[in-house]
Coordinates of all heavy atoms in Angstrom, one line a residue:
M1 N 22.0 30.7 -1.8 CA 20.8 29.8 -1.8 C 19.8 30.4 -0.8 O 20.1 30.8 0.3 CB 21.2 28.4 -1.4 CG 20.0 27.5 -1.4 SD 20.4 25.7 -1.2 CE 21.1 25.7 0.4
E2 N 18.5 30.5 -1.3 CA 17.5 31.0 -0.4 C 17.3 30.0 0.8 O 17.4 28.8 0.6 CB 16.2 31.0 -1.2 CG 15.0 31.5 -0.4 CD 13.7 31.3 -1.2 OE1 13.7 31.0 -2.4 OE2 12.6 31.4 -0.6
K3 N 17.2 30.6 1.9 CA 17.1 29.8 3.1 C 15.8 30.0 3.8 O 15.4 31.1 4.2 CB 18.3 30.2 4.0 CG 18.5 29.4 5.2 CD 19.8 29.8 5.9 CE 19.8 29.3 7.4 NZ 21.0 29.8 8.0
R4 N 15.0 28.9 4.0 CA 13.8 29.0 4.8 C 14.0 28.0 5.9 O 14.6 27.0 5.8 CB 12.6 28.6 3.9 CG 12.3 29.5 2.8 CD 11.0 29.1 2.1 NE 11.0 29.6 0.8 CZ 10.2 29.2 -0.2 NH1 9.4 28.1 0.0 NH2 10.2 29.7 -1.3
R5 N 13.4 28.4 7.0 CA 13.5 27.5 8.2 C 12.2 26.9 8.5 O 11.2 27.5 8.6 CB 14.1 28.3 9.4 CG 15.5 28.8 9.1 CD 16.0 29.5 10.3 NE 17.4 29.9 10.0 CZ 18.2 30.2 10.9 NH1 17.9 30.2 12.2 NH2 19.4 30.5 10.6
Y6 N 12.2 25.6 8.8 CA 11.1 24.9 9.2 C 11.5 24.1 10.5 O 12.7 23.7 10.6 CB 10.5 23.9 8.2 CG 10.1 24.5 6.9 CD1 11.0 24.5 5.8 CD2 8.9 25.1 6.8 CE1 10.6 25.1 4.6 CE2 8.5 25.7 5.6 CZ 9.4 25.7 4.5 OH 9.0 26.3 3.4
L7 N 10.6 23.8 11.3 CA 10.9 22.9 12.5 C 10.3 21.6 12.2 O 9.1 21.4 11.9 CB 10.3 23.5 13.7 CG 10.8 23.0 15.0 CD1 12.2 23.3 15.2 CD2 10.0 23.7 16.2
C8 N 11.2 20.5 12.2 CA 10.7 19.2 12.0 C 10.5 18.5 13.3 O 10.9 19.0 14.3 CB 11.6 18.4 11.0 SG 13.1 17.9 11.8
P9 N 9.8 17.3 13.4 CA 9.5 16.7 14.6 C 10.6 16.5 15.6 O 10.5 16.4 16.8 CB 8.8 15.4 14.2 CG 8.3 15.7 12.9 CD 9.3 16.6 12.2
V10 N 11.9 16.3 15.1 CA 13.0 16.0 16.0 C 13.7 17.2 16.4 O 14.8 17.2 17.0 CB 13.9 14.9 15.4 CG1 13.3 13.6 15.3 CG2 14.5 15.4 14.1
G11 N 13.2 18.4 16.0 CA 13.8 19.7 16.5 C 14.9 20.2 15.7 O 15.5 21.2 16.1
T12 N 15.3 19.5 14.6 CA 16.4 20.1 13.7 C 15.8 21.0 12.7 O 14.6 20.9 12.4 CB 17.2 18.9 13.1 OG1 16.2 18.1 12.4 CG2 17.9 18.1 14.1
E13 N 16.6 21.8 12.0 CA 16.2 22.7 11.0 C 16.2 22.0 9.6 O 17.0 21.2 9.3 CB 17.1 23.9 10.9 CG 16.9 24.8 12.1 CD 17.8 26.0 11.9 OE1 18.9 25.9 11.5 OE2 17.3 27.1 12.2
L14 N 15.1 22.3 8.8 CA 15.1 21.8 7.4 C 15.3 23.0 6.5 O 14.8 24.1 6.8 CB 13.7 21.1 7.2 CG 13.4 19.9 8.0 CD1 12.0 19.4 7.6 CD2 14.4 18.8 7.7
Y15 N 15.9 22.8 5.4 CA 16.2 23.8 4.4 C 15.6 23.4 3.1 O 15.6 22.2 2.7 CB 17.7 24.1 4.3 CG 18.3 24.5 5.6 CD1 18.8 23.6 6.5 CD2 18.4 25.9 5.9 CE1 19.4 24.1 7.7 CE2 18.9 26.3 7.0 CZ 19.4 25.4 8.0 OH 20.0 25.8 9.1
V16 N 15.2 24.4 2.3 CA 14.8 24.2 0.9 C 16.0 24.0 0.1 O 16.9 24.9 0.0 CB 13.9 25.3 0.4 CG1 13.6 25.1 -1.1 CG2 12.7 25.5 1.2
V17 N 16.2 22.8 -0.5 CA 17.4 22.5 -1.3 C 16.9 22.5 -2.8 O 16.0 21.8 -3.2 CB 18.0 21.1 -1.0 CG1 19.1 20.8 -1.9 CG2 18.4 21.1 0.5
K18 N 17.6 23.4 -3.5 CA 17.2 23.5 -5.0 C 18.0 22.5 -5.7 O 19.1 22.7 -6.2 CB 17.5 24.9 -5.5 CG 16.6 25.9 -4.8 CD 16.6 27.3 -5.4 CE 15.5 28.1 -4.7 NZ 15.6 29.5 -5.2
T19 N 17.3 21.3 -5.8 CA 18.0 20.2 -6.4 C 18.2 20.4 -7.9 O 19.0 19.6 -8.5 CB 17.1 18.9 -6.2 OG1 15.8 19.2 -6.5 CG2 17.2 18.4 -4.8
G20 N 17.6 21.4 -8.5 CA 17.9 21.6 -9.9 C 19.3 22.2 -10.2 O 19.7 22.2 -11.3
E21 N 20.0 22.6 -9.2 CA 21.3 23.2 -9.3 C 22.4 22.1 -9.8 O 23.4 22.5 -10.3 CB 21.8 23.9 -8.1 CG 20.9 25.1 -7.8 CD 21.2 25.8 -6.4 OE1 22.1 25.2 -5.7 OE2 20.7 26.8 -6.2
W22 N 22.1 20.9 -9.6 CA 23.1 19.9 -10.1 C 22.6 19.0 -11.2 O 23.1 17.9 -11.4 CB 23.6 19.0 -8.9 CG 22.6 18.2 -8.2 CD1 22.0 17.1 -8.6 CD2 22.1 18.4 -6.9 NE1 21.2 16.6 -7.7 CE2 21.2 17.4 -6.6 CE3 22.3 19.4 -5.9 CZ2 20.5 17.3 -5.4 CZ3 21.6 19.3 -4.7 CH2 20.7 18.3 -4.5
R23 N 21.6 19.5 -12.0 CA 21.0 18.7 -13.0 C 21.9 18.7 -14.3 O 22.5 19.7 -14.7 CB 19.7 19.3 -13.4 CG 18.8 18.6 -14.4 CD 17.5 19.3 -14.6 NE 17.8 20.7 -15.1 CZ 17.4 21.8 -14.4 NH1 16.7 21.7 -13.3 NH2 17.7 23.0 -14.8
A24 N 22.0 17.5 -15.0 CA 22.8 17.4 -16.2 C 21.8 17.4 -17.4 O 22.2 17.7 -18.5 CB 23.6 16.1 -16.2
E25 N 20.6 17.0 -17.2 CA 19.6 17.0 -18.3 C 18.3 17.6 -17.8 O 18.0 17.6 -16.6 CB 19.3 15.5 -18.7 CG 20.4 14.9 -19.5 CD 20.0 13.5 -20.0 OE1 19.3 12.7 -19.2 OE2 20.3 13.2 -21.1
R26 N 17.5 18.1 -18.7 CA 16.2 18.7 -18.3 C 15.1 18.1 -19.1 O 15.2 17.8 -20.3 CB 16.2 20.2 -18.4 CG 16.3 20.7 -19.9 CD 16.1 22.2 -20.0 NE 17.0 22.9 -19.2 CZ 16.9 24.2 -18.9 NH1 15.8 24.8 -19.3 NH2 17.8 24.9 -18.2
P27 N 13.9 17.9 -18.5 CA 12.8 17.4 -19.2 C 12.1 18.6 -20.0 O 11.9 19.6 -19.5 CB 11.8 16.9 -18.1 CG 12.2 17.7 -16.9 CD 13.6 18.1 -17.0
V28 N 11.8 18.3 -21.2 CA 11.1 19.3 -22.1 C 9.8 18.6 -22.5 O 9.8 17.6 -23.2 CB 11.9 19.6 -23.3 CG1 11.2 20.6 -24.2 CG2 13.3 20.2 -22.9
T29 N 8.7 19.3 -22.1 CA 7.3 18.7 -22.5 C 6.8 19.3 -23.7 O 6.9 20.6 -23.9 CB 6.4 19.0 -21.3 OG1 6.9 18.6 -20.1 CG2 5.0 18.3 -21.5
D30 N 6.2 18.5 -24.6 CA 5.6 19.0 -25.8 C 4.1 19.2 -25.5 O 3.4 18.3 -25.2 CB 5.7 17.9 -26.9 CG 5.1 18.4 -28.2 OD1 4.3 19.3 -28.2 OD2 5.3 17.7 -29.2
P31 N 3.7 20.5 -25.4 CA 2.3 20.8 -25.0 C 1.3 20.2 -26.0 O 0.1 20.0 -25.5 CB 2.3 22.4 -25.1 CG 3.7 22.8 -25.1 CD 4.5 21.7 -25.7
K32 N 1.7 19.9 -27.2 CA 0.7 19.3 -28.1 C 0.4 17.9 -27.8 O -0.7 17.4 -28.2 CB 1.2 19.5 -29.6 CG 1.3 20.9 -30.1 CD 1.9 20.9 -31.5 CE 2.2 22.3 -31.9 NZ 3.2 22.5 -32.9
K33 N 1.3 17.2 -27.2 CA 1.1 15.8 -26.8 C 0.6 15.6 -25.4 O -0.1 14.6 -25.1 CB 2.5 15.0 -26.9 CG 3.0 14.9 -28.3 CD 4.2 14.0 -28.3 CE 4.8 13.9 -29.7 NZ 6.1 13.2 -29.6
C34 N 0.9 16.6 -24.5 CA 0.4 16.4 -23.1 C -1.1 16.6 -23.0 O -1.7 17.5 -23.5 CB 1.1 17.5 -22.3 SG 0.6 17.5 -20.5
V35 N -1.6 15.6 -22.3 CA -3.1 15.6 -22.0 C -3.4 15.8 -20.5 O -4.5 15.6 -20.1 CB -3.7 14.2 -22.5 CG1 -3.7 14.1 -24.0 CG2 -3.1 13.0 -21.8
K36 N -2.4 16.2 -19.8 CA -2.5 16.6 -18.4 C -3.1 15.4 -17.5 O -3.9 15.6 -16.7 CB -3.3 17.9 -18.2 CG -2.7 19.1 -18.9 CD -3.5 20.3 -18.8 CE -3.2 21.0 -17.5 NZ -3.8 22.4 -17.5
C37 N -2.6 14.2 -17.8 CA -3.0 13.1 -17.1 C -2.4 13.0 -15.7 O -2.9 12.2 -14.8 CB -2.7 11.8 -17.8 SG -0.9 11.5 -18.0
A38 N -1.3 13.7 -15.5 CA -0.6 13.8 -14.2 C 0.2 12.6 -13.8 O 0.6 12.4 -12.7 CB -1.5 14.2 -13.1
T39 N 0.5 11.7 -14.8 CA 1.3 10.5 -14.5 C 2.7 11.0 -14.1 O 3.3 10.5 -13.1 CB 1.4 9.6 -15.7 OG1 0.1 9.2 -16.0 CG2 2.2 8.4 -15.4
C40 N 3.2 12.0 -14.8 CA 4.6 12.5 -14.4 C 4.6 13.1 -13.0 O 5.5 12.9 -12.3 CB 4.9 13.6 -15.5 SG 3.7 14.9 -15.7
W41 N 3.5 13.8 -12.6 CA 3.4 14.3 -11.3 C 3.4 13.2 -10.2 O 4.1 13.3 -9.2 CB 2.1 15.1 -11.2 CG 1.8 15.6 -9.8 CD1 2.2 16.7 -9.2 CD2 0.9 14.9 -8.9 NE1 1.7 16.8 -7.9 CE2 0.9 15.7 -7.7 CE3 0.1 13.8 -8.9 CZ2 0.1 15.4 -6.6 CZ3 -0.6 13.4 -7.8 CH2 -0.6 14.2 -6.7
L42 N 2.8 12.1 -10.6 CA 2.7 11.0 -9.6 C 4.0 10.4 -9.4 O 4.4 10.0 -8.2 CB 1.7 9.9 -10.2 CG 1.3 8.8 -9.3 CD1 0.5 9.3 -8.1 CD2 0.5 7.8 -10.1
Y43 N 4.9 10.3 -10.4 CA 6.1 9.6 -10.3 C 7.3 10.5 -9.9 O 8.4 10.0 -9.5 CB 6.5 8.8 -11.6 CG 5.7 7.5 -11.8 CD1 4.5 7.5 -12.4 CD2 6.3 6.4 -11.2 CE1 3.8 6.3 -12.5 CE2 5.6 5.2 -11.4 CZ 4.4 5.1 -12.0 OH 3.7 3.9 -12.1
C44 N 7.2 11.8 -10.1 CA 8.4 12.7 -9.9 C 8.8 12.6 -8.4 O 8.1 12.9 -7.5 CB 8.0 14.1 -10.2 SG 9.4 15.2 -9.9
P45 N 10.1 12.2 -8.2 CA 10.6 12.0 -6.8 C 10.8 13.3 -6.1 O 11.0 13.3 -4.9 CB 11.9 11.2 -7.0 CG 12.3 11.5 -8.4 CD 11.1 11.8 -9.2
T46 N 10.9 14.4 -6.8 CA 11.1 15.7 -6.2 C 9.9 16.6 -6.2 O 10.0 17.8 -5.8 CB 12.3 16.5 -6.8 OG1 11.9 16.7 -8.2 CG2 13.6 15.7 -6.7
Q47 N 8.8 16.1 -6.6 CA 7.5 16.8 -6.6 C 7.7 18.1 -7.4 O 7.3 19.2 -7.0 CB 7.0 17.1 -5.2 CG 6.7 15.8 -4.5 CD 6.1 16.0 -3.1 OE1 6.2 17.0 -2.5 NE2 5.4 15.0 -2.6
S48 N 8.4 18.0 -8.5 CA 8.7 19.2 -9.3 C 7.7 19.6 -10.4 O 7.8 20.5 -11.1 CB 10.1 19.1 -10.0 OG 11.1 18.9 -9.0
I49 N 6.7 18.7 -10.6 CA 5.8 18.9 -11.8 C 4.8 20.0 -11.4 O 4.1 20.0 -10.3 CB 5.0 17.6 -12.1 CG1 6.1 16.5 -12.6 CG2 4.0 17.9 -13.2 CD1 6.9 16.9 -13.8
R50 N 4.6 21.0 -12.3 CA 3.7 22.1 -12.1 C 2.7 22.2 -13.3 O 3.0 21.7 -14.4 CB 4.5 23.4 -12.0 CG 5.6 23.4 -11.0 CD 5.0 23.6 -9.6 NE 6.1 23.7 -8.6 CZ 6.6 22.7 -8.0 NH1 6.1 21.5 -8.1 NH2 7.6 22.9 -7.1
D51 N 1.6 22.9 -13.1 CA 0.6 23.1 -14.1 C 0.9 24.4 -14.8 O 0.9 25.5 -14.2 CB -0.8 23.1 -13.5 CG -1.9 23.2 -14.5 OD1 -1.6 23.4 -15.7 OD2 -3.1 23.0 -14.1
F52 N 1.3 24.3 -16.1 CA 1.6 25.5 -16.9 C 0.5 25.8 -17.8 O 0.7 26.3 -18.9 CB 2.9 25.2 -17.7 CG 4.1 25.2 -16.9 CD1 4.6 24.0 -16.4 CD2 4.8 26.4 -16.5 CE1 5.8 23.9 -15.6 CE2 6.0 26.3 -15.8 CZ 6.4 25.1 -15.3
K53 N -0.7 25.5 -17.4 CA -2.0 25.8 -18.1 C -2.1 24.9 -19.4 O -3.1 24.1 -19.5 CB -2.1 27.3 -18.5 CG -2.0 28.2 -17.3 CD -3.2 28.1 -16.4 CE -3.1 29.1 -15.3 NZ -4.1 28.9 -14.2
T54 N -1.2 25.1 -20.3 CA -1.4 24.3 -21.6 C -0.8 22.8 -21.4 O -1.2 22.0 -22.2 CB -0.6 24.9 -22.7 OG1 0.8 25.0 -22.3 CG2 -1.1 26.3 -23.0
H55 N 0.0 22.6 -20.4 CA 0.6 21.3 -20.1 C 1.1 21.2 -18.7 O 1.2 22.3 -18.1 CB 1.7 21.0 -21.1 CG 2.8 22.0 -21.0 ND1 2.8 23.3 -21.4 CD2 4.1 21.9 -20.4 CE1 3.9 23.9 -21.1 NE2 4.7 23.1 -20.5
L56 N 1.5 20.0 -18.3 CA 2.2 19.9 -17.0 C 3.7 19.8 -17.4 O 4.1 19.2 -18.4 CB 1.8 18.6 -16.3 CG 0.4 18.5 -15.8 CD1 0.2 17.3 -14.9 CD2 -0.2 19.7 -15.2
G57 N 4.5 20.5 -16.6 CA 6.0 20.5 -16.9 C 6.7 20.7 -15.6 O 6.2 20.8 -14.5
A58 N 8.1 20.6 -15.7 CA 8.9 20.6 -14.5 C 9.3 22.0 -14.1 O 9.5 22.9 -14.9 CB 10.2 19.9 -14.8
D59 N 9.3 22.2 -12.7 CA 9.8 23.4 -12.1 C 11.3 23.2 -12.1 O 11.8 22.4 -11.3 CB 9.2 23.6 -10.7 CG 9.8 24.8 -10.0 OD1 10.9 25.3 -10.4 OD2 9.2 25.3 -9.0
L60 N 12.1 23.9 -12.9 CA 13.5 23.6 -13.0 C 14.3 24.1 -11.8 O 15.5 23.7 -11.8 CB 14.0 24.3 -14.3 CG 13.4 23.7 -15.6 CD1 13.8 24.4 -16.8 CD2 13.7 22.2 -15.7
Q61 N 13.7 24.8 -10.9 CA 14.5 25.1 -9.7 C 14.7 23.8 -8.9 O 15.7 23.7 -8.1 CB 13.7 26.0 -8.8 CG 13.6 27.4 -9.3 CD 12.9 28.3 -8.2 OE1 13.6 28.9 -7.4 NE2 11.6 28.2 -8.2
F62 N 13.8 22.8 -9.0 CA 13.9 21.6 -8.2 C 14.0 20.3 -9.0 O 14.5 19.3 -8.4 CB 12.6 21.5 -7.3 CG 12.4 22.7 -6.4 CD1 11.5 23.7 -6.7 CD2 13.2 22.9 -5.3 CE1 11.4 24.9 -5.9 CE2 13.1 24.0 -4.5 CZ 12.2 25.0 -4.8
C63 N 13.7 20.3 -10.2 CA 13.9 19.1 -11.1 C 15.3 18.7 -11.1 O 16.2 19.6 -11.4 CB 13.4 19.4 -12.5 SG 13.9 18.2 -13.7
K64 N 15.6 17.5 -10.8 CA 17.0 17.0 -10.8 C 17.4 16.3 -12.0 O 18.5 15.7 -12.1 CB 17.3 16.3 -9.5 CG 16.5 15.0 -9.3 CD 16.9 14.3 -8.0 CE 16.2 13.0 -7.9 NZ 16.5 12.3 -6.6
G65 N 16.5 16.2 -13.0 CA 16.8 15.6 -14.3 C 17.0 14.1 -14.3 O 17.7 13.6 -15.1
C66 N 16.2 13.4 -13.4 CA 16.4 12.0 -13.4 C 15.7 11.3 -14.6 O 16.1 10.2 -14.9 CB 15.7 11.5 -12.1 SG 13.9 11.7 -12.0
G67 N 14.8 11.9 -15.2 CA 14.2 11.3 -16.4 C 13.0 10.4 -16.2 O 12.5 9.8 -17.1
I68 N 12.6 10.2 -14.9 CA 11.5 9.3 -14.6 C 10.2 9.7 -15.3 O 9.5 8.9 -15.9 CB 11.4 9.1 -13.1 CG1 12.6 8.4 -12.5 CG2 10.1 8.4 -12.8 CD1 12.6 8.4 -11.0
C69 N 10.0 11.0 -15.3 CA 8.8 11.5 -15.9 C 8.7 11.2 -17.4 O 7.7 10.8 -17.9 CB 8.6 13.0 -15.7 SG 10.1 14.0 -16.3
A70 N 9.9 11.3 -18.1 CA 9.9 11.0 -19.5 C 9.7 9.5 -19.7 O 9.0 9.1 -20.7 CB 11.3 11.4 -20.1
Q71 N 10.2 8.7 -18.8 CA 10.0 7.2 -19.0 C 8.5 6.8 -18.7 O 8.0 5.9 -19.4 CB 10.9 6.5 -17.9 CG 12.3 6.5 -18.3 CD 12.7 5.6 -19.5 OE1 12.1 4.5 -19.6 NE2 13.5 6.2 -20.3
E72 N 7.9 7.5 -17.8 CA 6.5 7.1 -17.4 C 5.4 7.8 -18.2 O 4.3 7.3 -18.2 CB 6.3 7.4 -15.9 CG 7.3 6.6 -15.0 CD 7.0 5.1 -15.1 OE1 5.9 4.7 -15.4 OE2 8.0 4.4 -14.8
C73 N 5.7 8.8 -18.9 CA 4.6 9.5 -19.6 C 4.0 8.6 -20.7 O 4.7 8.2 -21.6 CB 5.2 10.8 -20.3 SG 4.0 11.6 -21.4
P74 N 2.7 8.3 -20.6 CA 2.1 7.4 -21.5 C 1.9 8.0 -22.9 O 1.7 7.3 -23.9 CB 0.7 7.2 -20.9 CG 0.4 8.4 -20.1 CD 1.8 8.8 -19.6
R75 N 2.1 9.3 -23.1 CA 1.9 10.0 -24.4 C 3.3 10.3 -25.0 O 3.3 10.9 -26.1 CB 1.2 11.3 -24.2 CG -0.3 11.1 -23.7 CD -1.2 10.9 -24.8 NE -1.2 12.1 -25.6 CZ -1.8 12.1 -26.8 NH1 -2.4 11.1 -27.3 NH2 -1.8 13.2 -27.5
H76 N 4.4 9.9 -24.3 CA 5.7 10.2 -24.8 C 5.9 11.7 -25.1 O 6.4 12.1 -26.2 CB 6.1 9.4 -26.1 CG 5.9 7.9 -25.8 ND1 6.7 7.2 -25.0 CD2 4.9 7.0 -26.3 CE1 6.3 5.9 -25.0 NE2 5.2 5.8 -25.7
A77 N 5.3 12.5 -24.2 CA 5.3 14.0 -24.4 C 6.6 14.7 -23.8 O 6.7 15.9 -24.0 CB 4.1 14.6 -23.8
I78 N 7.4 13.9 -23.1 CA 8.5 14.5 -22.5 C 9.8 13.9 -23.1 O 10.0 12.7 -23.2 CB 8.5 14.2 -20.9 CG1 7.2 14.7 -20.3 CG2 9.7 14.9 -20.3 CD1 7.0 14.2 -18.9
A79 N 10.7 14.9 -23.5 CA 12.0 14.5 -24.0 C 13.1 15.1 -23.0 O 12.9 16.2 -22.5 CB 12.2 15.0 -25.4
M80 N 14.2 14.3 -22.8 CA 15.3 14.8 -22.0 C 16.3 15.5 -22.9 O 16.7 15.0 -23.9 CB 15.9 13.7 -21.2 CG 15.0 13.0 -20.2 SD 14.2 14.0 -19.0 CE 15.6 14.5 -18.0
A81 N 16.7 16.7 -22.5 CA 17.6 17.5 -23.2 C 18.9 17.8 -22.4 O 18.7 18.1 -21.2 CB 17.0 18.8 -23.7
L82 N 20.0 17.7 -22.9 CA 21.3 18.0 -22.2 C 21.3 19.5 -21.8 O 20.9 20.4 -22.6 CB 22.5 17.7 -23.0 CG 23.0 16.3 -23.2 CD1 24.2 16.2 -24.1 CD2 23.3 15.7 -21.8
E83 N 21.7 19.7 -20.5 CA 21.9 21.1 -20.1 C 23.2 21.6 -20.8 O 24.1 20.9 -21.0 CB 22.1 21.1 -18.6 CG 20.9 20.9 -17.8 CD 19.9 22.0 -17.8 OE1 20.2 23.0 -18.4 OE2 18.8 21.8 -17.2
E84 N 23.1 22.9 -21.1 CA 24.3 23.5 -21.7 C 25.4 23.7 -20.7 O 25.1 24.0 -19.5 CB 24.0 24.9 -22.3 CG 22.9 24.9 -23.4 CD 23.5 24.2 -24.6 OE1 24.7 24.3 -24.9 OE2 22.7 23.6 -25.4
E85 N 26.7 23.4 -21.0 CA 27.7 23.6 -20.1 C 28.1 25.1 -20.0 O 28.0 25.8 -21.0 CB 29.0 22.8 -20.5 CG 28.8 21.3 -20.3 CD 30.1 20.6 -20.6 OE1 31.2 21.2 -20.5 OE2 30.0 19.4 -20.8
E86 N 28.4 25.5 -18.8 CA 28.7 27.0 -18.7 C 30.1 27.3 -18.8 O 31.0 26.4 -18.6 CB 28.2 27.4 -17.3 CG 26.7 27.2 -17.1 CD 26.1 28.1 -16.1 OE1 26.8 28.9 -15.5 OE2 24.8 28.0 -15.9
Ligands
SF4_101 S1 2.5 12.2 -18.0 FE1 2.8 13.1 -20.1 S2 0.7 13.4 -20.9 FE2 0.6 13.1 -18.7 S3 0.6 15.1 -17.7 FE3 2.7 14.4 -17.7 S4 3.6 15.2 -19.7 FE4 1.4 15.3 -19.8
SF4_102 S1 13.3 14.7 -14.6 FE1 12.9 13.7 -12.6 S2 12.9 15.3 -11.1 FE2 12.7 16.3 -13.1 S3 10.5 16.5 -13.3 FE3 11.1 14.6 -14.3 S4 10.7 13.1 -12.7 FE4 10.8 15.1 -11.7

């Protein structure tokens, strides 16, 4: 895991945690339905929503697959898909 160090106010170290590593489902955005309203960005608890030019979608390094974006999208542009088992 990539390790970056930050100093937080209480003097302990913070690390970038790639929460996408334990995801069971992934959000898949339909670019034809997405109007880039950013509702998904507003609700995403891991701040994983990125601008992919044609649509907003999840950065899968950090998306933990909670499905909140799919629930909140007013255009129903996001579908949750099962991750393939390795
Ligand atoms: S909430 Fe839906 S329509 Fe709005 S930016 Fe996100 S994916 Fe696109
Ligand atoms: S599934 Fe959850 S963590 Fe992933 S982009 Fe949507 S709201 Fe964010």
Side-chain angles (χ1 to χ4, degrees):
M1 179 169 67
E2 180 187 347
K3 185 173 162 184
R4 293 185 202 162
R5 294 182 177 198
Y6 300 100
L7 195 62
C8 75
V10 291
T12 54
E13 288 181 319
L14 296 177
Y15 297 90
V16 174
V17 178
K18 293 194 175 172
T19 46
E21 291 174 355
W22 61 74
R23 186 182 55 242
E25 291 183 316
R26 66 170 61 198
V28 179
T29 307
D30 182 345
K32 292 178 188 156
K33 291 183 180 175
C34 178
V35 293
K36 300 179 85 172
C37 67
T39 303
C40 52
W41 172 83
L42 187 65
Y43 280 93
C44 176
T46 59
Q47 300 182 340
S48 298
I49 300 296
R50 305 282 183 267
D51 188 349
F52 290 94
K53 303 292 183 194
T54 57
H55 64 284
L56 298 193
D59 179 341
L60 296 176
Q61 288 187 98
F62 301 103
C63 165
K64 61 181 183 179
C66 66
I68 292 173
C69 55
Q71 287 291 317
E72 297 297 334
C73 174
R75 298 271 299 166
H76 305 290
I78 305 171
M80 298 303 291
L82 279 178
E83 289 287 356
E84 298 292 330
E85 289 188 19
E86 301 203 0

